[in-house]
Amino acid sequence: MLFVFIFVGIIPLYLFSYILLNNYKEKAVTSRFNQMQNQIIMLSNQMLPTGYLTLADVPEIDAEINRVAEIYQGRIVVVNNNLNIVEDTYGLYDDKKYLVSKEVIQSFNGNSSKVHDKENNYLILTQPITHTTEEQKVIVGAIVMNSSTKDIQAILSGMEQRAIIFSVALTMFIIIFAIYFSNKLTKPLTKVVNSIDRLTEGYMEEGVSIKGYYEIEKISDSFNKMINRMQKIENTRQEFVSNVSHELKTPITSIKVLADSLLMQEDTPVELYREFLVDITEEIERENKIINDLLSLVKLNKTAGDMNITSININDLLEQILKRLRPIAKRQNIEMIYESFRPVMAEVDEVKISLAISNLIENAIKYNTPDGWVRVSLNADHKYFFIKISDSGIGIPEEMQDLIFERFFRVDKARSRESGGTGLGLAITKSVVQMHRGAIRVYSKDGEGTTFNLRIPLNYIA
Ligand SMILES: Nc1ncnc2c1ncn2[C@@H]1O[C@H](COP(=O)(O)OP(=O)(O)OP(=O)(O)O)[C@@H](O)[C@H]1O
Ligand SMILES: [Mg+2]
């Protein structure tokens, strides 16, 4: 993090100063050459009418040339078309000498030349002197002009110095800034990490509260939400485990009590043995049912992926279930009514859906009143089929209607125990319905009866 800051901050800074300085240098040199060119043109214009180039003595022009050379801290050499040196501000040649150089020859071909002698800090400009008449252009001489770049160099090194001071200051500022901000940014993240570590160690109840930037606060919010959710899952898991062990222990305890009391008594009559053994068998059956229900619930949750989907006739399925349950209803003189509004074919897992519907109808019989009724009806639209199971039973108090789908939940423990209930039936039904992407609703009034509405898609949605 820190390095990213430094990298992003400092590299562009140095790059920028480098480009800026280089750019200035180039501009300065070009503009110096331009100025020199203008000066040469001005000088040539003065020379042409005076015969200066044909070695006439014109002191004003000599003075002017010297003045210009001084301004540019350099040297000016004027050559005529015989390559005679007419003037040299350094006075190293007299009039009789010749100056023959590549640049001078070139200028007689009409080309000027610009040379930057970086080693000695000089610019050298060689330029032809052209005499333009109405008919033609004649090159009558050449001027070689030097100019020192020391002044440009001085400005440049001043700028460089300032850039270095500025860069160093800014670098320091960026580093301090980066340290400060990366601390500020990483501190809350470290806190989150620590919280996650503590969570792994098992301290679930602790949330994190982090004040900081919006994003970081959001992270801590989501983190807390996740912890809450995990906490809830953990609680239900614990509750489930304790419910399971309790439920499994109850029949065993009864069996133990029954067996113990038989063992304690001496000369127990055979009839008592029989009676107690019948009770013991019932408890074993109960234990068996709990274990089977639990297994099917666990299996449902675990193999949510493997559904055995086939297209089946729901009318037939309902009739089969009712046929199986009618004898049980008859024992309590409960009337079973079945109505179907249309034939329904649907893609479902037959075993699972049959289990779910059976549970609902069994409940409707179990929690009914003597001489009551159970009504099962089937309907469908283009997307779903609907099964409605109503009874004239004892009903479910409103505040408990949300809870009945929980595992092991029973409204009246004593009553459902009597009828062998474990409180797993509706949990199984609900998870089957969810696996079919359906919905289940309960409507009930205490003491008047209950209606369960099922809605299942006709076509299975994977
Ligand atoms: N039709 C109904 N009328 C009144 N109460 C009902 C009805 N269906 C369910 N209940 C209540 O909801 C509770 C949970 O039902 P569920 O089917 O899950 O368990 P159970 O019937 O007690 O046991 P299991 O079905 O596992 O043998 C029941 O104990 C009962 O109190
Ligand atoms: Mg039940």
Side-chain angles (χ1 to χ4, degrees):
M1 176 67 120
L2 185 65
F3 288 105
V4 172
F5 261 123
I6 292 176
F7 197 74
V8 168
I10 293 173
I11 303 280
L13 175 70
Y14 283 97
L15 216 67
F16 184 67
S17 349
Y18 177 78
I19 292 172
L20 207 72
L21 288 175
N22 245 8
N23 204 17
Y24 169 76
K25 199 168 160 185
E26 261 169 44
K27 284 253 166 67
V29 167
T30 320
S31 105
R32 175 64 53 89
F33 268 126
N34 287 342
Q35 287 169 13
M36 285 159 75
Q37 231 159 2
N38 286 339
Q39 288 293 349
I40 289 176
I41 290 169
M42 262 156 40
L43 287 176
S44 343
N45 287 344
Q46 286 174 22
M47 285 170 200
L48 286 172
T50 59
Y52 184 77
L53 289 170
T54 48
L55 305 178
D57 214 4
V58 189
E60 303 90 67
I61 294 185
D62 282 342
E64 178 66 10
I65 291 174
N66 273 299
R67 198 180 64 82
V68 172
E70 212 164 288
I71 292 173
Y72 285 85
Q73 293 180 315
R75 175 184 185 183
I76 295 176
V77 179
V78 184
V79 182
N80 69 10
N81 54 0
N82 297 324
L83 300 180
N84 279 128
I85 293 173
V86 180
E87 168 68 14
D88 172 13
T89 55
Y90 275 19
L92 294 180
Y93 306 108
D94 56 38
D95 293 349
K96 305 292 164 295
K97 285 276 167 59
Y98 297 97
L99 177 62
V100 188
S101 74
K102 194 180 88 204
E103 285 81 13
V104 172
I105 306 292
Q106 261 180 12
S107 65
F108 280 101
N109 290 329
N111 303 320
S112 57
S113 97
K114 291 171 185 171
V115 177
H116 185 182
D117 179 350
K118 284 182 184 155
E119 222 168 276
N120 302 311
N121 296 322
Y122 265 101
L123 300 182
I124 306 157
L125 175 64
T126 312
Q127 175 135 326
I129 305 171
T130 14
H131 180 55
T132 320
T133 60
E134 264 149 43
E135 300 92 50
Q136 59 183 1
K137 258 173 135 181
V138 193
I139 295 168
V140 291
I143 294 181
V144 182
M145 182 173 175
N146 288 8
S147 167
S148 165
T149 55
K150 285 214 172 89
D151 52 341
I152 296 178
Q153 215 58 47
I155 293 174
L156 209 63
S157 61
M159 275 168 77
E160 247 163 29
Q161 225 167 41
R162 258 172 287 165
I164 288 170
I165 293 171
F166 179 71
S167 300
V168 168
L170 204 64
T171 304
M172 261 148 65
F173 176 74
I174 288 175
I175 290 176
I176 292 168
F177 181 83
I179 291 173
Y180 174 73
F181 268 96
S182 67
N183 265 351
K184 215 170 162 170
L185 278 178
T186 47
K187 219 185 228 158
L189 290 176
T190 319
K191 256 183 165 177
V192 175
V193 172
N194 287 343
S195 296
I196 294 174
D197 284 348
R198 280 183 70 74
L199 190 78
T200 336
E201 285 160 19
Y203 295 92
M204 276 266 240
E205 54 300 323
E206 290 176 17
V208 274
S209 148
I210 295 162
K211 296 273 163 288
Y213 303 97
Y214 177 72
E215 285 77 11
I216 287 177
E217 273 178 22
K218 281 208 89 129
I219 292 179
S220 93
D221 274 359
S222 320
F223 183 72
N224 284 337
K225 267 186 210 144
M226 188 189 78
I227 294 183
N228 278 341
R229 172 124 185 77
M230 282 170 72
Q231 186 77 55
K232 257 189 208 141
I233 293 173
E234 174 63 13
N235 287 347
T236 25
R237 194 186 64 84
Q238 274 174 11
E239 200 183 325
F240 179 64
V241 170
S242 76
N243 281 342
V244 168
S245 31
H246 177 78
E247 292 302 321
L248 290 175
K249 248 163 78 185
T250 322
I252 304 251
T253 315
S254 307
I255 292 170
K256 181 152 171 52
V257 170
L258 289 166
D260 276 351
S261 53
L262 280 180
L263 287 174
M264 299 250 275
Q265 269 187 32
E266 277 169 32
D267 310 322
T268 321
V270 182
E271 299 81 61
L272 204 64
Y273 263 109
R274 276 206 154 276
E275 201 189 316
F276 276 30
L277 279 175
V278 168
D279 290 347
I280 286 176
T281 314
E282 267 171 19
E283 292 298 334
I284 291 174
E285 263 164 25
R286 197 176 140 65
E287 181 88 24
N288 208 18
K289 180 184 182 312
I290 298 173
I291 291 172
N292 283 338
D293 282 356
L294 266 176
L295 283 179
S296 53
L297 193 64
V298 169
K299 244 204 254 156
L300 280 181
N301 286 341
K302 214 170 85 187
T303 56
D306 74 57
M307 296 275 280
N308 186 12
I309 303 294
T310 46
S311 186
I312 61 159
N313 185 317
I314 303 293
N315 310 63
D316 290 350
L317 182 78
L318 285 179
E319 269 173 56
Q320 263 174 39
I321 295 172
L322 286 169
K323 193 173 155 199
R324 188 163 54 77
L325 294 177
R326 262 201 187 99
I328 302 171
K330 205 160 191 184
R331 266 186 250 156
Q332 291 169 53
N333 200 23
I334 290 166
E335 188 191 359
M336 299 281 272
I337 307 151
Y338 171 53
E339 44 184 11
S340 165
F341 291 90
R342 65 191 76 232
V344 178
M345 293 293 290
E347 294 169 6
V348 292
D349 183 317
E350 184 172 357
V351 176
K352 291 188 179 109
I353 216 81
S354 163
L355 182 67
I357 298 167
S358 302
N359 282 339
L360 292 175
I361 303 177
E362 271 169 24
N363 282 349
I365 298 169
K366 212 155 58 168
Y367 304 106
N368 218 313
T369 45
D371 309 319
W373 49 262
V374 173
R375 180 192 299 269
V376 179
S377 68
L378 172 66
N379 203 348
D381 60 17
H382 62 291
K383 252 181 133 174
Y384 299 98
F385 67 91
F386 306 92
I387 296 176
K388 187 175 187 173
I389 297 156
S390 315
D391 63 57
S392 60
I394 56 173
I396 303 164
E398 202 174 335
E399 68 275 11
M400 301 201 172
Q401 289 176 9
D402 284 340
L403 299 169
I404 52 172
F405 297 101
E406 302 278 328
R407 292 168 298 197
F408 295 116
F409 183 84
R410 282 155 295 181
V411 173
D412 179 349
K413 293 232 170 197
R415 178 172 173 144
S416 40
R417 247 189 78 82
E418 229 169 76
S419 53
T422 56
L424 290 173
L426 285 178
I428 292 171
T429 299
K430 190 173 181 185
S431 66
V432 170
V433 170
Q434 281 173 344
M435 285 165 83
H436 284 85
R437 311 266 179 267
I440 181 164
R441 279 266 158 73
V442 60
Y443 303 93
S444 182
K445 220 166 183 190
D446 205 5
E448 283 180 25
T450 306
T451 298
F452 280 93
N453 279 340
L454 266 188
R455 189 194 70 190
I456 312 277
L458 291 171
N459 295 308
Y460 179 68
I461 306 158

